[in-house]
Amino acid sequence: SEGVITDDGRIWASLPTIKFLVGQGARVVICSHLGRPDGKKVEKYSLGPVARRLSELLEQEVFFASDCIGQAALDAVNQLADSQVLVLENLRFHSAETSDSDSERLEFATSLASLADYYVGDGFGVLHRKQASVFEIAKVLPSVAGLLVEKELSVLSRLTQTHDSPYTVVLGGSKVSDKLGVIKALLPKVDNLLVGGGMVFTFLAALGYKVGKSLLETSQIETVKGYIGTAKELGVNIVLPTDILMASSFSKDAEYFAAPIEALEDTLLGSSAIGLDIGPESAAHFAQIVAGSHICFWNGPMGVLSSKNSAKEQGRLLGL
């Protein structure tokens, strides 16, 4: 069945750019993605509900195309009048959007580009990704940044230039390799660096802890050791969790438990245990540091938020 919107924050965030374009008389064609449908049309990931919610927020009719390329998309675009808005169906219903093949992505981007005269990139969270609707399309069409990107860059500029203290950075997300630039840029500027999410297991491994079958980037262990050494030289407090929420798997029936970092494999699960999140003791400690900070820069989630079952269990064990 078609999905239901539980958080419309990203729609609200896009409104200033969309309203500006509508106010200039532009015919606005919106392309976006939702979930990971792996190149297949999955009804619960349809952007139909997004179009309806956008219509309510803009207080005008928002049209919806059943595909993002092809005849359905072309017909919908051709029917637009000045200042009207169209939402295209989920880009990720086509595998070419995120393909590893440059030529496949370029072909898909060219199809998207045929629907418009200009490209406005306003998806700040994906601008670093080599995806057809972000990377290749900007080569095919004259392109500019949207107002949301401008706002995000303004905030980032303040965060990278501030001298306010205590300054705390919270790093989450799955991979250290995704955060190399963030760590390198901010390490000389901050007082506290709180590390969680999947990337924490590479930090723990760098310090000699056993992490079971948790997500681990062995290729980044030496890099992490370097960051730990640099932090020590700079007097930066790198704060790692003291306990971890572990599980037997990501499944609904998995066994969950919190374990100290010194004993992540010292259970019946042994080396097959998988780390999901920081534990309750660590969550309380992290919260205490954040509450005592003058400025806090949070980048990436702590736990496995993509799994409803594990997220629910994480919330229960963390007392949320």
Side-chain angles (χ1 to χ4, degrees):
S1 62
E2 195 176 71
V4 175
I5 295 174
T6 57
D7 182 352
D8 62 359
R10 292 193 178 185
I11 304 175
W12 277 97
S14 300
L15 286 180
T17 300
I18 297 170
K19 285 182 174 180
F20 175 80
L21 292 170
V22 167
Q24 299 299 308
R27 303 177 186 189
V28 182
V29 180
I30 298 172
C31 61
S32 188
H33 68 261
L34 179 65
R36 292 181 173 86
D38 298 324
K40 302 182 183 72
K41 186 167 185 176
V42 181
E43 198 60 30
K44 70 176 180 177
Y45 293 134
S46 173
L47 293 183
V50 173
R52 289 193 289 274
R53 180 58 178 149
L54 181 59
S55 176
E56 294 170 359
L57 296 178
L58 287 176
E59 298 182 338
Q60 72 176 67
E61 184 176 6
V62 171
F63 300 93
F64 179 67
S66 59
D67 202 347
C68 58
I69 59 172
Q71 198 60 47
L74 186 60
D75 289 346
V77 169
N78 287 338
Q79 290 170 17
L80 282 180
D82 293 353
S83 297
Q84 288 188 332
V85 179
L86 168 71
V87 173
L88 302 176
E89 184 55 285
N90 195 338
L91 293 164
R92 289 186 180 171
F93 285 177
H94 293 266
S95 59
E97 162 67 357
T98 55
S99 173
D100 291 332
S101 166
D102 293 352
S103 59
E104 284 184 15
R105 292 197 313 274
L106 181 58
E107 183 180 355
F108 185 61
T110 302
S111 296
L112 286 172
S114 69
L115 304 175
D117 299 311
Y118 300 94
Y119 169 67
V120 180
D122 215 25
F124 182 79
V126 295
L127 288 183
H128 64 297
R129 300 193 184 279
K130 219 173 185 183
Q131 297 177 354
S133 66
V134 178
F135 185 75
E136 276 78 15
I137 198 169
K139 295 181 176 182
V140 181
L141 286 176
S143 60
V144 296
L147 299 177
L148 177 57
V149 171
E150 182 184 47
K151 179 181 178 182
E152 294 275 13
L153 287 175
S154 173
V155 171
L156 274 177
S157 295
R158 293 207 308 274
L159 287 170
T160 53
Q161 295 167 15
T162 183
H163 297 289
D164 293 336
S165 188
Y167 182 2
T168 295
V169 171
V170 182
L171 280 184
S174 60
K175 295 181 179 180
V176 174
S177 54
D178 288 341
K179 310 292 181 181
L180 295 177
V182 175
I183 298 172
K184 186 175 181 180
L186 294 179
L187 203 53
K189 305 175 186 296
V190 306
D191 300 296
N192 305 300
L193 182 65
L194 312 186
V195 183
M199 65 187 299
V200 76
F201 301 108
T202 304
F203 274 82
L204 291 177
L207 293 172
Y209 293 104
K210 295 180 179 180
V211 297
K213 286 191 176 178
S214 306
L215 183 65
L216 178 61
E217 288 184 284
T218 54
S219 64
Q220 298 298 332
I221 288 178
E222 290 305 314
T223 302
V224 167
K225 286 181 179 178
Y227 286 141
I228 292 172
T230 301
K232 192 171 182 179
E233 292 172 8
L234 295 171
V236 176
N237 183 27
I238 290 189
V239 184
L240 298 175
T242 52
D243 60 343
I244 296 288
L245 183 63
M246 305 293 287
S248 55
S249 69
F250 291 118
S251 68
K252 179 173 63 175
D253 302 320
E255 177 188 352
Y256 296 85
F257 57 92
I261 58 172
E262 300 86 0
L264 300 184
E265 296 187 2
D266 295 351
T267 67
L268 292 174
L269 295 176
S271 60
S272 64
I274 300 172
L276 299 180
D277 203 348
I278 61 174
E281 181 183 279
S282 302
H285 186 210
F286 280 23
Q288 186 179 35
I289 294 173
V290 169
S293 300
H294 183 85
I295 188 166
C296 183
F297 179 6
W298 194 306
N299 185 276
M302 287 289 111
V304 189
L305 301 185
S306 58
S307 167
K308 287 184 180 179
N309 293 319
S310 63
K312 184 177 180 181
E313 185 63 19
Q314 286 162 240
R316 185 184 71 78
L317 290 179
L318 294 174
L320 302 176

